[in-house]
Every structure is written in C-alpha cells, then in structure tokens.
Amino acid sequence: VKEKKEESNIIIFGRKEYGKTIVLKYIQNEIFSNDRHYEKMLPVIINFSEIPKNNPDSIKRIIKNVLDHEVSTEKIETYLQNGYITFLIDDFDDYTDDAKEKRKEVFYKISQTYPKCRYILTMNEKLSEAFKQETFTAVSHLKVKNFSKFVKELIKEKRTK
C-alpha cells in the first residue's frame, strides 16, 4: 500500500473468505501506526452494506460513528473536501445485499463528490473483469495469487512488531 500511496484508488480482488477484510484492517493499522508516512489520512473501514441506499450525505454519519462521535459534521465535511479520509470498503460486491445497485450508485456519487479522498475496496476476484472502471477513476488492481499466504505473512509480520 505504501507503494500505491500516490495513486488514488485500489481494488483488492480475492476469493471469498480469503482474508480481504484482514488486509483492510492491516491497512488501517498501518496508517494509524505510521502517521508520519500517511500524513492527513484517516482510515475509515465501512462494510459495503453500510453504505446508504439513497442519501450520499448520510455517509458523514457513518464516518462520525467510525472516527469519534465528538467530531462535528462540519469537521467531517472539511476532511472529505480536503481528501483526508481513506475509505476502506469491504465486500463491495456483497451478493446478499438486495439494494447493492442503489448502494453502488450512492458510492459513485460519494467518490465523485469527494474525488480527493482515497478509496480502497475489496471485491471477489470473479468480478475483476466486470467492474466498471469508467465510473471509478484512477484505479490500481491488486490481485494476490496466493491470498491466504499473503494474509498469513501480514499476520506474522504484525505479531513480530
């Protein structure tokens, strides 16, 4: 992720239950642990099913809940406008979500309204070809061949720190 810092967005593809969520939590922890390297980046992990179905502005309430209830909505808006929020969105392709198309539309509106923010998504590798890149610009695809080995190495590395 450090090598991808200058690129806006990343999609992490992997098989179901292969540790994509662990990778997002690792990224979040790396950002918090290495504050100097990731200056002005507030990582916010959101499950795709938590994205509002209708109102893009309600993403601020979710961010407020994740960061700290004491942070004002105005401050969150400033963070969003300046690109200080790094969205870590898990299960972007959630098949069980009946409102997934509405949530995707809201997500695209959020990413267009706040283009300075960084978006890191996890998605099932089966959808890597079908994902509409034209609606989500500056994307780097990260497809890990041996995902479980990659996750085990992340966990092992974390334990030794």
Side-chain angles (χ1 to χ4, degrees):
V1 175
K2 287 179 186 176
E3 295 81 29
K4 301 284 185 189
K5 185 179 185 311
E6 298 306 317
E7 297 178 28
S8 296
N9 307 303
I10 298 173
I11 303 173
I12 301 170
F13 292 102
R15 291 187 203 160
K16 184 177 179 173
E17 303 300 323
Y18 258 54
K20 298 180 296 292
T21 302
I22 292 171
V23 172
L24 285 185
K25 289 178 181 177
Y26 179 82
I27 292 168
Q28 179 185 40
N29 193 43
E30 276 297 299
I31 292 170
F32 281 135
S33 299
N34 298 294
D35 194 45
R36 283 175 276 128
H37 181 77
Y38 298 104
E39 189 177 339
K40 297 182 180 176
M41 288 178 70
L42 296 170
V44 175
I45 292 182
I46 300 173
N47 194 290
F48 176 72
S49 63
E50 295 173 37
I51 292 176
K53 292 183 274 189
N54 301 315
N55 183 1
D57 279 341
S58 58
I59 195 73
K60 294 171 196 164
R61 178 185 44 79
I62 295 169
I63 294 169
K64 186 174 183 153
N65 289 340
V66 171
L67 291 179
D68 184 355
H69 293 282
E70 301 297 316
V71 178
S72 70
T73 305
E74 293 78 21
K75 188 75 164 173
I76 290 171
E77 178 64 29
T78 301
Y79 291 162
L80 288 164
Q81 291 292 333
N82 291 319
Y84 296 166
I85 302 290
T86 298
F87 288 94
L88 304 169
I89 301 179
D90 198 20
D91 291 329
F92 193 77
D93 57 336
D94 186 357
Y95 293 111
T96 62
D97 188 357
D98 293 336
K100 67 181 175 187
E101 292 308 316
K102 288 182 181 179
R103 291 185 202 284
K104 283 181 183 179
E105 287 176 29
V106 168
F107 170 76
Y108 293 132
K109 286 178 186 171
I110 292 166
S111 67
Q112 290 167 352
T113 304
Y114 305 110
K116 291 182 179 180
C117 289
R118 186 166 190 206
Y119 302 88
I120 301 175
L121 316 176
T122 66
M123 188 178 292
N124 190 300
E125 68 183 359
K126 292 179 183 178
L127 297 177
S128 62
E129 299 300 318
F131 189 71
K132 294 191 284 186
Q133 288 186 10
E134 67 274 6
T135 55
F136 191 52
T137 58
V139 174
S140 292
H141 288 221
L142 178 60
K143 193 169 185 179
V144 181
K145 295 287 184 196
N146 192 343
F147 212 83
S148 58
K149 181 180 176 187
F150 176 69
V151 170
K152 286 177 189 174
E153 287 174 11
L154 289 178
I155 293 169
K156 183 179 174 185
E157 179 184 322
K158 194 67 196 159
R159 286 184 184 158
T160 59
K161 285 187 176 181

